[in-house]
Amino acid sequence: RRFKCFAGSAVLRHHVGTYAEASPGDAVTLFSSAGLLEISVSRGDASQLLSVSRGDAVNLVFEGIILPEPTSR
C-alpha cells in the first residue's frame, strides 16, 4: 500500500525495498528485516537533512484511507 511519511521538515514519498535502490542523497523509507520502518538519506545524514531526531513524531498517511475525525474525551 502506498503512503507518505511525514518526519521532521520532510514529506517522504519514495519507498524502497533495499538501501541499494536509493540514489545518493535520496530521502527514502524502507522496512528493515525486523519489519520496522526506517527513514534514511542514502549516503547522507537523515537527522541533519530532515531535521528529525530519535524519538520525534513520525506520521504515515496511507493513500485511499479516510480516517474519522477525532472525538473529545
Side-chain angles (χ1 to χ4, degrees):
R1 184 181 286 162
R2 296 179 58 100
F3 62 88
K4 288 188 273 189
C5 176
F6 295 83
S9 63
V11 179
L12 294 93
R13 294 178 179 87
H14 189 150
H15 183 75
V16 295
T18 66
Y19 287 108
E21 293 175 30
S23 297
D26 281 354
V28 299
T29 58
L30 68 144
F31 287 101
S32 71
S33 58
L36 301 174
L37 180 70
E38 296 185 8
I39 297 168
S40 176
V41 172
S42 180
R43 298 186 184 171
D45 184 340
S47 177
Q48 183 180 32
L49 293 172
L50 306 177
S51 300
V52 66
S53 299
R54 183 183 298 250
D56 285 353
V58 172
N59 294 296
L60 300 179
V61 176
F62 291 90
E63 289 185 10
I65 295 179
I66 299 172
L67 300 175
E69 291 292 323
T71 58
S72 301
R73 290 189 179 204

